[in-house]
Amino acid sequence: MVRRFVQVDVFGSRPLGGNPLAVVVDAEGLDGAAMQELARWTGLSETTFLLAPTAAGADYRVRIFTPGGELPFAGHPTLGSAYAWLTSGGVARGGSVVQECGAGLVEVRVDGDRLAFTAPPLTRTGPLDAAALGRCLGCFGVDPAHVVAHAWGDNGPPWAMVLRDDPDVLRAIRPTAPSGRDLFPAAVALTPGEPWAYEVRAFVPPPNPVEDPVTGSLNAAAAQWLRSRGDVSAAYVVRQGMQVGAAGEVHVTDTGDRLWVGGRVTTVVSGTVDL
């Protein structure tokens, strides 16, 4: 069956500067095995599949696949999928788009020239245990003396966040691939005096590329953590991806009742896929 297909760029501050996402717009009738096979074939960090909603109030349902498995939620696939749905003729029932995914309902709004999603609640919080912290530091290959704080930020992907004391230490990381899919190491460093509140790097296990260019779910988790620590203001911008040739820019806004994570989305490839 010939199905509509797009590849979009998410969170880029310049053309082709963000995180690519493949979206199958007409995914009805595909089973999970076929979805997983296409995700493996595209080789992108995520490929999504748009389906009719099953939950009351949702505008569409999305399934999100990495080359190695399915995720209940991910950030740049949420914005990219919402953009693909809207530009393919989707019309929201209310003022915002409501996405149904494995983690539940996620609201997405158009925010000027950006889209933004509401940060989902964290399913695991609190400091990392010694073993988890050790695995993160093993991935980073840097001295533990540079650690300021650490915490779980699990909102689908199991982010293990480590706050560094110096952005130059973060930028100098030459990572080794994480082992296992139960922990995704993330390094964060505040950047006072720069246009960005902080810089972040995200590392994921094979068969994905080791470093993710720009990561919405991580920045949603980091925003909740850093806001609770009093490290960032209610509205700020994050930089990510410079070490892998990207130019990612994530906009975070805390309205008091909700935390919004947003960025630009553009279409790069459009056509069809035969599945």
Side-chain angles (χ1 to χ4, degrees), residues 3-4 22 25 46 57 70 92 117 136 146 162 185 206 213 219 222 227 247:
R3 305 168 187 272
R4 288 178 294 171
V25 178
E46 281 98 2
E70 187 171 5
F117 67 84
C136 288
H146 291 289
V162 179
N219 279 294
R227 288 286 289 146

Side-chain angles (χ1 to χ4, degrees), residues 148-177:
V148 174
H150 50 80
W152 286 105
D154 194 330
N155 53 14
W159 295 112
M161 304 177 294
V162 179
L163 182 62
R164 319 303 308 209
D165 63 354
D166 186 339
D168 289 335
V169 172
L170 175 140
R171 292 163 185 157
I173 290 173
R174 299 295 179 266
T176 58

Side-chain angles (χ1 to χ4, degrees), residues 2-274:
V2 175
R3 305 168 187 272
R4 288 178 294 171
F5 174 87
V6 295
Q7 192 162 315
V8 297
D9 188 65
V10 186
F11 291 127
S13 62
R14 58 166 171 77
L16 305 180
N19 201 347
L21 174 76
V23 185
V24 177
V25 178
D26 306 306
E28 294 294 340
L30 287 177
D31 61 18
M35 294 178 184
Q36 183 65 74
E37 186 67 4
L38 182 65
R40 180 201 59 78
W41 183 85
T42 67
L44 299 178
S45 58
E46 281 98 2
T47 299
T48 64
F49 300 84
L50 306 188
L51 303 156
T54 60
D59 290 304
Y60 67 89
R61 180 166 67 99
V62 65
R63 293 185 69 178
I64 305 168
F65 285 82
T66 75
E70 187 171 5
L71 292 175
F73 168 79
H76 98 274
T78 291
L79 293 192
S81 295
Y83 181 84
W85 183 79
L86 287 167
T87 55
S88 297
V91 178
R93 302 178 189 183
S96 300
V97 175
V98 179
Q99 172 183 280
E100 178 188 353
C101 60
L105 300 184
V106 179
E107 186 176 351
V108 181
R109 68 181 184 185
V110 178
D111 186 14
D113 63 346
R114 300 188 296 267
L115 269 66
F117 67 84
T118 52
L122 300 178
T123 59
R124 179 167 43 169
T125 59
L128 306 176
D129 58 40
L133 179 59
R135 288 171 63 188
C136 288
L137 296 181
C139 171
F140 304 153
V142 295
D143 194 311
H146 291 289
V147 174
V148 174
H150 50 80
W152 286 105
D154 194 330
N155 53 14
W159 295 112
M161 304 177 294
V162 179
L163 182 62
R164 319 303 308 209
D165 63 354
D166 186 339
D168 289 335
V169 172
L170 175 140
R171 292 163 185 157
I173 290 173
R174 299 295 179 266
T176 58
S179 60
R181 302 193 62 83
D182 60 325
L183 179 153
F184 292 5
V188 183
L190 302 174
T191 53
E194 298 187 21
W196 302 274
Y198 65 84
E199 189 167 341
V200 63
R201 299 181 67 181
F203 307 107
V204 293
N208 300 68
V210 172
E211 182 160 0
D212 200 45
V214 202
T215 317
S217 59
L218 168 57
N219 279 294
Q224 293 170 78
W225 180 42
L226 296 176
R227 288 286 289 146
S228 71
R229 287 175 47 84
D231 288 332
V232 292
S233 62
Y236 61 88
V237 181
V238 183
R239 183 166 76 162
Q240 187 179 355
M242 306 312 176
Q243 290 76 22
V244 291
E249 197 170 86
V250 180
H251 294 252
V252 178
T253 304
D254 188 341
T255 59
D257 60 336
R258 297 185 185 183
L259 194 148
W260 296 88
V261 179
R264 293 180 178 87
V265 186
T266 57
T267 300
V268 178
V269 177
S270 61
T272 60
V273 61
D274 194 353

